[in-house]
Amino acid sequence: MEDIPALEKKFEEKIASGIVIEPKDWMPERYRKQLIRMMSQHAHSEVVGMLPEGNWVTRAPSLRRKVGLLAKVQDEAGHGLYIYSATETLGADRAKLVDDLHTGKAKYSSIFNYPTLTWADIGAIGWLVDGAAIVNQTALAKCSYGPYARAMIRICKEESFHNKQGYEILASLMKGPPEQQKMAQDSINRWWWPCLMMFGPSDGASPNSEELMRWKVKRYTNDELRQRFIDRTIPQAEHIGLTMPDPDLKYNETTRHYEFGEINWEEFNQVIKGNGPCNYERVHARKDADEKGLWVREAAEAYAKKKLTMNS
Amino acid sequence: METTQWNLWEVFTQESPGDPHVHAGSVRAPDAEIALQNARDVYARRGEAVNLWVVPTEYITASTPEDQGAFFDPGNDKAYRHPNFYKTPDGVKL
């Protein structure tokens, strides 16, 4: 018989002393469940995140931009696969996770439910969305679950290219004619607030935060990470002449942090609930790809079986 | 909808010649050939590997964390297997 309280005590001690938890280690069911939820959401976000950017691959303004964007989108697929692989170490079934995305049971980052209307949006995504993801993922690279932390280290190494390619796009638009500058500024006006929402609800309103912090899955609160992102991003914006759409944004000399305006949490909740501009389109595109790829998966499997019988 | 799920393979990458193969993660694939190609696309997009191993996950046997103590015990209490167990006369470099 398993002595659950004793195992729980040992688990909590390991967490407290900073020992990383590995797949076969005993863990509370709740820890496993929370990780599967969080990691699969993260994997889905990487996969769905390919769609808004994929939209511009064929219309990239130069070959240099096109190869960069293609490589970035391919990385996002890879990141999704790293995290699905890590989630499977917890006993989750990959096909089931993907099904949950398609049926709407599983969530993904709200940011990908916004449309990419202009080329500047590709710059804004690389710089801001990936910038926010880097802040988030750098923290997760120190999380208590080994496979997740290792996947994050791999991802963080690759994200800095995403961030720089986005910034380069905006920096060159800002050096262009007024129309291009306007396009760049317009993209920031639309993406800035949704990016701040990526870090999730404020600490008081985040139901899972406390438990995840105690288990060292999360190492910093949503508000701390959001602040870190703002502090590092504003000087970059100023450098190329972009302005954030927030009249309350100002640097506080005493705290040495930027103060910012109220986030529209009602909008965030609506997008999470499925009422964002592109929710339907995103999930529909995923389902479509899954269905249209079925024959390829079946053919590969049939071929593998045939080879086996021919060799035996 | 019915889903076809390929088998799970563990991927090991060797970063440069002479390095050991290190576990990188896993991929799904119907056979070894596609497992290798998927492993290349997922775990070696930037020259992270000069060589790859893929192994069906089901063929890996791992020791269990529960018997960590007892299982590794034979190697844990033998100070005489380490150089600092032995004394050297003063003034000699060994």
Side-chain angles (χ1 to χ4, degrees):
Chain A
M1 260 306 277
E2 278 193 326
D3 182 355
I4 300 289
L7 287 167
E8 250 166 25
K9 188 166 170 276
K10 209 176 140 203
F11 174 83
E12 298 283 352
E13 280 167 7
K14 276 166 93 175
I15 295 280
S17 55
I19 295 175
V20 172
I21 307 299
E22 292 296 339
K24 289 183 116 190
D25 291 346
W26 187 89
M27 61 188 85
E29 264 323 292
R30 176 88 187 148
Y31 177 83
R32 186 186 301 276
K33 240 180 107 178
Q34 283 282 46
L35 273 174
I36 292 176
R37 181 190 60 84
M38 193 172 155
M39 291 165 69
S40 59
Q41 269 184 23
H42 193 164
H44 298 329
S45 301
E46 300 284 353
V47 171
V48 176
M50 288 190 281
L51 297 168
E53 292 183 291
N55 179 32
W56 278 90
V57 169
T58 55
R59 292 175 287 162
S62 70
L63 184 59
R64 178 184 155 85
R65 294 284 182 237
K66 190 171 186 167
V67 291
L69 183 59
L70 260 177
K72 180 185 188 297
V73 172
Q74 196 187 2
D75 273 352
E76 306 301 357
H79 295 176
L81 292 171
Y82 301 159
I83 311 172
Y84 282 130
S85 156
T87 316
E88 284 195 288
T89 65
L90 290 160
D93 181 80
R94 195 179 301 208
K96 166 84 173 41
L97 298 178
V98 172
D99 260 2
D100 285 349
L101 170 69
H102 295 171
T103 57
K105 204 180 148 208
K107 304 239 181 300
Y108 55 88
S109 180
S110 57
I111 194 77
F112 300 117
N113 289 316
Y114 291 88
T116 40
L117 303 176
T118 68
W119 170 250
D121 288 8
I122 299 305
I125 289 184
W127 176 43
L128 296 178
V129 176
D130 287 72
I134 289 170
V135 170
N136 221 338
Q137 289 165 345
T138 311
L140 284 171
K142 285 175 249 159
C143 105
S144 60
Y145 187 57
Y148 196 21
R150 290 193 285 275
M152 287 305 110
I153 291 169
R154 208 173 265 283
I155 287 178
C156 284
K157 277 191 199 157
E158 300 181 349
E159 292 274 9
S160 67
F161 133 61
H162 302 176
N163 187 235
K164 278 185 76 179
Q165 69 96 34
Y167 191 68
E168 193 190 277
I169 289 172
L170 289 172
S172 19
L173 290 174
M174 290 306 284
K175 273 190 263 170
E179 291 87 347
Q180 291 190 4
Q181 294 178 19
K182 216 178 129 205
M183 189 201 278
Q185 182 59 53
D186 168 67
S187 74
I188 300 309
N189 294 348
R190 284 181 288 109
W191 288 94
W192 177 244
W193 288 107
C195 277
L196 296 189
M197 295 173 197
M198 279 175 72
F199 295 93
S202 266
D203 301 344
S206 174
N208 294 308
S209 275
E210 199 227 307
E211 189 176 53
L212 292 172
M213 293 276 290
R214 185 162 53 83
W215 280 330
K216 295 187 180 167
V217 172
K218 287 178 84 162
R219 309 304 298 256
Y220 303 94
T221 68
N222 294 350
D223 285 332
E224 281 170 331
L225 293 172
R226 184 164 20 242
Q227 186 68 54
R228 190 176 296 180
F229 169 69
I230 293 171
D231 288 344
R232 63 173 243 167
T233 305
I234 302 303
Q236 299 168 357
E238 284 169 355
H239 197 84
I240 53 174
L242 288 166
T243 318
M244 299 315 180
D246 179 358
D248 297 324
L249 189 73
K250 62 168 188 288
Y251 189 65
N252 183 324
E253 292 286 351
T254 322
T255 61
R256 310 183 83 168
H257 290 298
Y258 283 89
E259 291 169 1
F260 54 99
E262 196 66 40
I263 292 171
N264 181 353
W265 292 114
E266 179 50 26
E267 177 183 328
F268 175 76
N269 291 330
Q270 284 300 326
V271 178
I272 291 278
K273 270 189 214 145
N275 302 324
C278 301
N279 293 57
Y280 172 79
E281 191 184 328
R282 299 297 184 233
V283 173
H284 183 75
R286 287 311 317 152
K287 281 204 289 218
D288 196 43
D290 190 54
E291 279 160 26
K292 285 185 178 150
L294 182 62
W295 74 270
V296 179
R297 301 198 294 281
E298 283 173 348
E301 190 142 343
Y303 179 68
K305 272 194 192 125
K306 191 176 157 195
K307 263 198 309 188
L308 266 185
T309 45
M310 278 167 68
N311 290 341
S312 60
Chain B
M1 199 188 83
E2 206 194 315
T3 37
T4 314
Q5 175 141 268
W6 292 339
N7 286 335
L8 197 59
W9 301 70
E10 297 303 317
V11 178
F12 298 82
T13 55
Q14 185 189 34
E15 214 174 282
S16 350
D19 283 347
H21 285 70
V22 177
H23 183 244
S26 62
V27 290
R28 292 266 176 190
D31 61 25
E33 193 186 337
I34 295 179
L36 266 183
Q37 287 172 6
N38 287 353
R40 175 202 59 199
D41 292 345
V42 177
Y43 296 103
R45 284 193 301 281
R46 289 179 176 76
E48 294 101 328
V50 292
N51 193 263
L52 288 174
W53 290 349
V54 289
V55 184
T57 304
E58 58 185 316
Y59 291 137
I60 291 186
T61 308
S63 64
T64 58
E66 294 83 60
D67 52 35
Q68 201 175 49
F71 187 74
F72 292 105
D73 198 38
N76 286 340
D77 60 351
K78 293 178 177 57
Y80 50 86
R81 283 181 176 170
H82 297 277
N84 51 10
F85 183 77
Y86 301 93
K87 295 180 181 63
T88 316
D90 285 344
V92 186
K93 261 192 170 171
L94 218 64

